[in-house]
Structures are given as C-alpha cells and as structure tokens.
C-alpha cells in the first residue's frame, strides 16, 4: 500500500513539475515573440523614415502623397533589390527549419531576431502606403484577436489537429492565389484573399498554440531538455508568423491609404 502511495506522490510531483515547466516554456515563447515584434516594428519604422523625405532637395523620386523617396528609398523600393528584400524572409524561414537541429538554442534565438529585423525591412513599405494611425489601429485589433485566439488554443480541451491539416492546405492555396493575383491585379480576388487569409491565420494561431503546448508536454515527459530550448524559439517563430500574416491581411480592410 505504501508503495502505491509513494508512486502516486511521485507521479503527482512529476505532473506538477511539467505543469510549472510548461508555464515557463510558454512565457519564453511569448517573450521571444514579443521581442521579435518590437524589432520588426522598429526596423520598419526606421527604414521608412530613411526612405522618405519632405525635402525636395533630397528627393530622388516623388510619391503620389506629396512625399519623396530618398536614394535609400529608391534603392529599396524601385530597384531590383526590392525582390531580394521581398523574398529574403521566406528564404530565412526555410534555412531556419533546415539548420535548427544543428544550432544551439542561443544561435537559434539570434537567428530569429535577425529574421524579425529582416521582416521589418520587408514590411517598411506599409508606412508609405497606409497612414500611421490606421497601422496602429490595425496592430491593436490584431493584438486583441491574437491574444484571444492563443488563449483559446491553450485552454481548449478540443483536439485541433484535424483543423490544422485543413488550414495548412488552405494556406498553400492562398499562397498560389496571391502569386496568380500578382499578374491579374484583380481587386475582387485581392478582397477574397484578404478575407480568407484572416480566417486561416486566426485558426492557425489557436492550432499552433495548442501544438506548442502538446509538444512541450511530450518532450518534457521524455526528459528531452535540449530540444525544449529550441522548441521555444520555433514556437515563437510560428506564432510570430501567424500574427504578422493576420495583421497584414487585416490591414487590407482597415488600413487608410495615404
């Protein structure tokens, strides 16, 4: 009888340790993601400031809203360099996935921060297209929606695995539609892409949060502490991408153009 009681105490203690570790793990995921968001916002705002000017003497090209592009802005947005900036974050994501197992946790975290800064450079053009007030408003709405969806994913007892498979298929279709619309330039298709994009990444926010939680529990039970550090960075990247994409699609609805 005493042996069963001891085993029960040990099991309860182990469960308590995993639960405490899970809270610390999720705090790290959200913390790393938040720093990444700050880096992205700061980089986008700073680059946009360097790329535009109100002084015609410093201008290289004139924009439709009365502002001018500097030489930096011309190089970033009008030269072939714009394609490198556009696709560099995508290439970095694939590189991160391929090299994660070979990286240390510290290296993976630095890579993520570098990626977040590059994403800021890629997104800096939104300050040329949309008003600052509408960008801030959309960011606030996205933050509230993200918090609610992530909380749902963390607390729900429903298994979201099936939904995740469906959403990943939808994301692939969405990406193909976006490439097609680069050539078609259809406003109706762009509206549909934006609406579907918001729904897909809203669902992925809940799914990814639950997946991060379940992955931690599985690896913690096996005592795989080395992987858990990297898993926190990977989880931060997943939620970061969900937030950024949901923000960009919402901006198509809520953003007031310059």
């Amino acid at each position: 009888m005493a042996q069963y009681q001891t085993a029960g105490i040990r099991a309860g203690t182990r469960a308590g340790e995993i639960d405490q570790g899970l809270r610390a793990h999720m705090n790290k995921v959200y913390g790393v993601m938040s720093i990444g968001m700050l880096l992205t916002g700061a980089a986008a705002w700073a680059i946009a400031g360097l790329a535009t000017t109100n002084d015609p003497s410093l201008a290289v090209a004139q924009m439709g809203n009365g502002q001018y592009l500097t030489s930096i802005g011309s190089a970033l947005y009008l030269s072939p360099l714009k394609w490198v900036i556009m696709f560099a974050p995508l290439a970095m994501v694939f590189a991160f996935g391929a090299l994660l197992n070979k990286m240390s946790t510290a290296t993976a975290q630095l890579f993520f921060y570098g990626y977040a800064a590059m994403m800021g450079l890629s997104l800096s053009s939104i300050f040329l297209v949309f008003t600052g007030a509408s960008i801030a408003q959309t960011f606030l709405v996205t933050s509230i929606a993200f918090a609610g969806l992530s909380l749902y994913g963390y607390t729900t007892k429903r298994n979201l695995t099936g939904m995740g498979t469906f959403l990943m298929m939808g994301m692939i279709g969405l990406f193909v539609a976006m490439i097609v619309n680069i050539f078609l330039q259809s406003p109706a298709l762009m509206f549909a892409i934006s609406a579907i994009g918001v729904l897909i990444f809203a669902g992925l926010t809940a799914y990814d949060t639950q997946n991060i939680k379940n992955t931690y529990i599985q690896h913690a039970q096996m005592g795989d502490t080395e992987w858990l550090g990297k898993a926190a960075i990977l989880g931060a990247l997943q939620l970061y991408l969900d937030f950024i994409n949901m923000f960009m699609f919402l901006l198509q609805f809520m953003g007031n153009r310059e």
Side-chain angles (χ1 to χ4, degrees):
M1 183 67 177
Q3 291 178 342
Y4 288 116
Q5 290 177 339
T6 302
I9 292 172
R10 288 177 178 174
T13 302
R14 179 60 178 163
E17 291 175 351
I18 291 177
D19 186 58
Q20 184 179 3
L22 175 61
R23 288 195 296 270
H25 181 76
M26 295 304 297
N27 285 337
K28 182 174 181 179
V29 169
Y30 290 122
V32 171
M33 175 198 162
S34 298
I35 294 174
M37 292 299 306
L38 288 174
L39 286 172
T40 299
W45 179 79
I47 294 298
L50 293 173
T52 59
T53 181
N54 294 322
D55 186 354
S57 65
L58 300 176
V60 173
Q62 185 173 4
M63 299 169 59
N65 57 4
Q67 287 187 318
Y68 302 91
L69 286 179
T70 64
S71 57
I72 294 177
S74 179
L76 293 177
Y77 308 128
L78 299 181
S79 74
L81 180 60
K82 68 181 180 181
W83 298 108
V84 176
I85 295 172
M86 183 184 302
F87 290 106
L90 183 61
M92 291 181 71
V93 165
F94 285 120
F96 184 80
L99 300 174
L100 181 60
N101 289 331
K102 300 178 181 178
M103 295 180 182
S104 66
T105 301
T107 301
Q109 187 166 327
L110 286 175
F111 190 98
F112 170 72
Y113 291 151
Y115 169 79
M118 176 56 71
M119 182 64 83
L121 174 59
S122 180
L123 297 181
S124 61
S125 59
I126 65 172
F127 286 96
L128 280 64
V129 179
F130 300 98
T131 63
S134 66
I135 292 174
Q137 182 182 25
T138 305
F139 182 84
L140 178 62
V141 171
T142 306
S143 299
I144 294 172
F146 177 88
L149 291 162
S150 190
L151 180 62
Y152 170 77
Y154 185 81
T155 58
T156 184
K157 302 299 182 182
R158 179 185 175 187
N159 188 345
L160 303 179
T161 302
M163 185 179 76
T165 303
F166 173 78
L167 290 171
M168 291 301 294
M169 293 174 60
M171 187 172 64
I172 294 172
L174 185 70
F175 182 71
V176 172
M178 291 173 65
I179 293 177
V180 171
N181 203 43
I182 291 176
F183 303 98
L184 297 180
Q185 293 294 310
S186 169
L189 182 56
M190 187 65 235
F191 180 85
I193 288 172
S194 299
I196 296 171
V198 170
L199 294 176
I200 287 176
F201 285 100
L204 281 172
T205 298
Y207 166 78
D208 284 335
T209 302
Q210 185 183 81
N211 188 51
I212 293 167
K213 174 184 175 181
N214 292 340
T215 299
Y216 174 86
I217 294 174
Q218 292 169 3
H219 284 272
Q221 289 173 343
M222 295 184 295
D224 192 356
T225 56
E226 181 180 356
W227 169 250
L228 291 178
K230 297 179 183 180
I233 311 303
L234 181 60
L237 174 63
Q238 292 170 332
L239 293 181
Y240 169 92
L241 289 172
D242 293 336
F243 186 102
I244 288 292
N245 282 285
M246 187 160 53
F247 166 76
M248 291 300 296
F249 285 121
L250 276 174
L251 193 59
Q252 301 300 318
F253 293 112
M254 301 180 62
N256 294 323
R257 295 182 179 272
E258 292 280 8

